[in-house]
Amino acid sequence: MATHARGLTGAAAGAPTAPAVVVRDLVRSYGTGAGVLDGLDLEIGRGEFVAILGRSGSGKSTLLRALAGLDHDVPGTGTVDVPRNVSVVFQDSRLLPWARVLDNVVLGHEAPPVQARAAGIAALAEVGLAGRERAWPNELSGGEQQRVSLARSLARSPELLLADEPFGALDALTRLRMHDLLRDLLRRHHPTVLMVTHDVDEAIVLADRVVVLDKGRIALERRTPQGVARPGTHTSTHATLRAELLDALGLDAGTGTTTGTTTDRKDTP
Amino acid sequence: MTAVVQDRRPAPARTAAPPADVRPRVRRLGLRPPVPLAAGSGVALLLVVWAVGSATGLIDPRVLSAPWTVVTTGVDLAVDGRLVENLAVSLGRAAQGLVWGVLAGVLLALLSGLSRLGEALLDGPIQVKRAVPNLALLPLLILWFGIGEEMKVVTIALGVFIPVYIHTHNGLRSIDKRYVELAETLRLDRRRFVAHVVLPGALPGFLLGLRFAVTGSLLALVVVEQVNGTAGIGYMMELARTYGQTEVIVVGLVVYGVLGYTADRAVRLLQRRALSWRRTLED
Ligand SMILES: Nc1ncnc2c1ncn2[C@@H]1O[C@H](COP(=O)(O)OP(=O)(O)OP(=O)(O)O)[C@@H](O)[C@H]1O
Ligand SMILES: [Mg+2]
């Protein structure tokens, strides 16, 4: 299976490869309060897909921004080792409103302009937006904008893809479509992925491994069915995994519906 | 168009009723689509008042010449070449001052907007300059640059760069932080960051500054051309004052007005073109 070819399972087949991401003893705190991240350790294998869950305010975005190198002025210590070629997908599509879709996709692309544009056009076609190259971002729907933002990330073939609730602003149906699209894209591009999400089911169906963040540390870590090395050896099914994760998040598993369970941002204690 | 077609309420039932257009009534808070040529109506009204005032004798021709006198004088001046010659000189000055002033304004706004050092060194002095009226600087500028062309262009440029600087700087600093983050994750170098994020982001502010700058350059003309001019619209008016030719003075004023108005329309047109990606109250 293509998904099994990715991830740590590669290590089982051959010589162990160095992990793509290594975070050691990461501490980050805003101001004088207690650390938002408090000695966090995390390793992500090459090509592995890790999803982060956690209550609102648990420091997921803080971790992601530390990995992206965006937290210039946030005090803290620890080491973060990431590949050179990192790409970030934000919750908002973050397209420059004054640049046309294709110009947004190729902005900052390393290749010479002609190749960059070709890569951009190909990436737009991959996300199903062929022919919209000359549109303004304002003219696209929310889901289309987020697809452009995916295309922008993929056009530069990142070794590490960081995504902070990339589908958080989308409706359930569009979100399911985006899951298929993302799976499809990852199968072809094989980046290492770290994705923050509020949706437990999204985490389970997309990721190889799910990590729950609490009090600035990793509180729970589980492989998902597709992340387990040999099919058949894992014991946790989607349902038991889901119950376990919801429990770790402080939610009663019985209260969630079977699809699209999200950890509610406001009501979570 | 008849009133019936524009009526949005359902028409009384008839056999060949027009297709229904029933919509919920929502109070419109945005602007209606622009009416063609309506932009000129305010100026047209002003002209009508002037013409009527002159025709009825309410306006004394020694105080303000009638519009037709101004037109015939204007035509005479144009035919004997004085108007065109002076206009060319004036426009040349305004354009030179404008170019230098805009360049300086944008450059200084970038320097002080994109670096803390630049801000510390530049912003203070510029705010001080802003508080000093150009008219008050004129004696000093005459001492420094003499009474020739140089002084005139410098004075215009000094007036022009202030609004360009203020509005470009403000537009630049108002760029959404999220786009700066994006630029960082895309690993843009400083040159590309300026070209693709800073300049387009500051463009709305810059264009507003440009509107002030364009009219400002024409205003500054009036001041500098009355100092030892030998050509230019201001000089022509100054000369007319000594000979008591009200109608020539008014021609000069009208030329200034037309210049300012056309220049402003041109910049606004540019604004619409350059900012076509925006969806604002304007559209
Ligand atoms: N710029 C900032 N200044 C001060 N405090 C901050 C800042 N950014 C985040 N925090 C605080 O750090 C904590 C963690 O924030 P973070 O954004 O990482 O949470 P999160 O897990 O991403 O939450 P959410 O799920 O709501 O996005 C929160 O308590 C937040 O208030
Ligand atoms: Mg967050």
Side-chain angles (χ1 to χ4, degrees):
Chain A
M1 300 265 281
T3 40
H4 291 156
R6 307 192 289 114
L8 285 181
T9 53
T17 51
V21 175
V22 180
V23 177
R24 287 271 173 266
D25 205 18
L26 189 66
V27 176
R28 288 287 185 275
S29 63
Y30 301 97
T32 49
V36 173
L37 298 180
D38 185 18
L40 181 136
D41 294 307
L42 179 68
E43 268 188 27
I44 306 177
R46 216 160 282 285
E48 191 184 9
F49 189 142
V50 172
I52 307 182
L53 290 168
R55 300 177 198 190
S56 179
S58 57
K60 307 181 294 294
S61 298
T62 305
L63 172 61
L64 213 77
R65 294 170 60 82
L67 289 179
L70 287 175
D71 56 349
H72 307 288
D73 299 320
V74 183
T77 55
T79 53
V80 175
D81 187 15
V82 294
R84 201 186 62 84
N85 191 351
V86 180
S87 186
V88 183
V89 180
F90 299 90
Q91 176 169 7
D92 59 308
S93 54
R94 213 162 285 202
L95 303 173
L96 297 176
W98 48 75
R100 294 186 189 268
V101 163
L102 182 58
D103 295 323
N104 261 293
V105 171
V106 302
L107 179 61
H109 201 288
E110 284 176 348
V114 179
Q115 280 99 309
R117 290 188 91 75
I121 290 171
L124 278 173
E126 272 194 289
V127 300
L129 285 175
R132 304 303 300 274
E133 291 84 2
R134 302 253 325 135
W136 295 110
N138 264 339
E139 297 168 355
L140 302 182
S141 74
E144 286 170 339
Q145 291 179 14
Q146 200 53 296
R147 269 144 66 194
V148 174
S149 140
L150 260 183
R152 176 176 58 198
S153 279
L154 292 170
R156 52 209 80 216
S157 325
E159 294 158 86
L160 175 62
L161 188 67
L162 299 171
D164 194 349
E165 299 184 48
F167 312 131
L170 304 179
D171 65 275
L173 191 62
T174 313
R175 199 188 287 208
L176 289 179
R177 292 234 175 89
M178 295 293 280
H179 290 173
D180 290 339
L181 177 66
L182 184 64
R183 254 193 297 256
D184 190 44
L185 293 171
L186 295 182
R187 204 168 291 145
R188 269 177 282 161
H189 295 268
H190 312 294
T192 307
V193 184
L194 185 64
M195 182 177 86
V196 170
T197 175
H198 272 91
D199 188 330
V200 174
D201 292 299
E202 180 172 274
I204 297 174
V205 298
L206 286 178
D208 301 320
R209 182 154 55 111
V210 184
V211 161
V212 176
L213 214 60
D214 192 30
K215 300 197 180 76
R217 287 162 175 272
I218 289 173
L220 184 75
E221 198 176 338
R222 287 288 178 272
R223 299 213 150 267
T224 61
Q226 68 268 21
V228 174
R230 282 151 294 166
T233 57
H234 65 273
T235 51
S236 55
T237 61
H238 185 117
T240 53
L241 184 56
R242 184 163 172 277
E244 203 178 358
L245 290 171
L246 285 175
D247 188 44
L249 291 164
L251 282 175
D252 182 3
T255 58
T257 53
T258 42
T259 54
T261 304
T262 58
T263 55
D264 192 283
R265 320 193 61 171
K266 302 230 163 45
D267 299 343
T268 310
Chain B
M1 288 267 158
T2 61
V4 179
V5 176
Q6 289 182 338
D7 194 348
R8 292 223 177 110
R9 281 166 303 177
R14 243 182 287 153
T15 39
D21 184 5
V22 187
R23 323 181 182 198
R25 281 168 177 270
V26 173
R27 179 189 298 250
R28 183 200 282 263
L29 294 175
L31 300 177
R32 290 170 193 287
V35 183
L37 299 181
S41 56
V43 173
L45 191 69
L46 206 62
L47 286 175
V48 168
V49 170
W50 182 14
V52 170
S54 297
T56 54
L58 278 175
I59 300 175
D60 185 340
R62 278 168 305 176
V63 174
L64 181 61
S65 315
W68 38 92
T69 324
V70 173
V71 170
T72 47
T73 312
V75 170
D76 288 346
L77 285 173
V79 167
D80 75 9
R82 272 156 71 199
L83 185 64
V84 179
E85 194 182 304
N86 287 319
L87 187 63
V89 170
S90 287
L91 278 182
R93 274 178 195 146
Q96 268 193 61
L98 196 62
V99 168
W100 289 116
V102 167
L103 281 179
V106 170
L107 197 68
L108 290 172
L110 284 180
L111 286 176
S112 114
L114 291 178
S115 97
R116 292 288 173 203
L117 179 67
E119 182 182 23
L121 292 181
L122 296 172
D123 198 58
I126 291 172
Q127 300 303 332
V128 170
K129 157 67 191 75
R130 195 183 152 205
V132 178
N134 250 0
L135 211 52
L137 271 181
L138 204 56
L140 199 58
L141 291 173
I142 290 176
L143 277 181
W144 287 353
F145 297 101
I147 47 174
E149 227 27 42
E150 221 171 294
M151 174 276 290
K152 297 186 170 74
V153 172
V154 169
T155 309
I156 295 172
L158 274 178
V160 156
F161 101 91
I162 293 287
V164 172
Y165 170 84
I166 300 270
H167 291 282
T168 309
H169 186 272
N170 178 50
L172 189 160
R173 283 289 172 94
S174 318
I175 292 173
D176 199 326
K177 184 84 192 261
R178 297 176 310 134
Y179 298 136
V180 182
E181 275 183 0
L182 173 71
E184 288 178 354
T185 64
L186 294 179
R187 303 281 149 90
L188 296 193
D189 52 31
R190 197 153 269 273
R191 190 185 61 76
R192 283 195 191 183
F193 172 57
V194 170
H196 294 284
V197 179
V198 175
L199 289 180
L203 190 61
F206 165 75
L207 287 170
L208 180 61
L210 190 60
R211 275 178 74 184
F212 284 104
V214 165
T215 26
S217 71
L218 296 169
L219 291 182
L221 265 188
V222 184
V223 177
V224 299
E225 291 196 334
Q226 316 222 333
V227 178
N228 186 51
T230 49
I233 299 291
Y235 165 73
M236 188 184 85
M237 287 163 71
E238 185 64 16
L239 214 58
R241 189 181 62 82
T242 39
Y243 296 130
Q245 297 168 307
T246 318
E247 66 281 4
V248 177
I249 296 179
V250 179
V251 169
L253 289 179
V254 168
V255 169
Y256 276 138
V258 169
L259 281 184
Y261 185 76
T262 339
D264 192 56
R265 300 296 305 175
V267 180
R268 287 178 75 166
L269 194 70
L270 181 72
Q271 217 168 10
R272 285 182 145 253
R273 287 281 159 80
L275 303 180
S276 57
W277 52 267
R278 287 206 304 190
R279 293 171 67 188
T280 58
L281 192 66
E282 173 90 30
D283 317 301

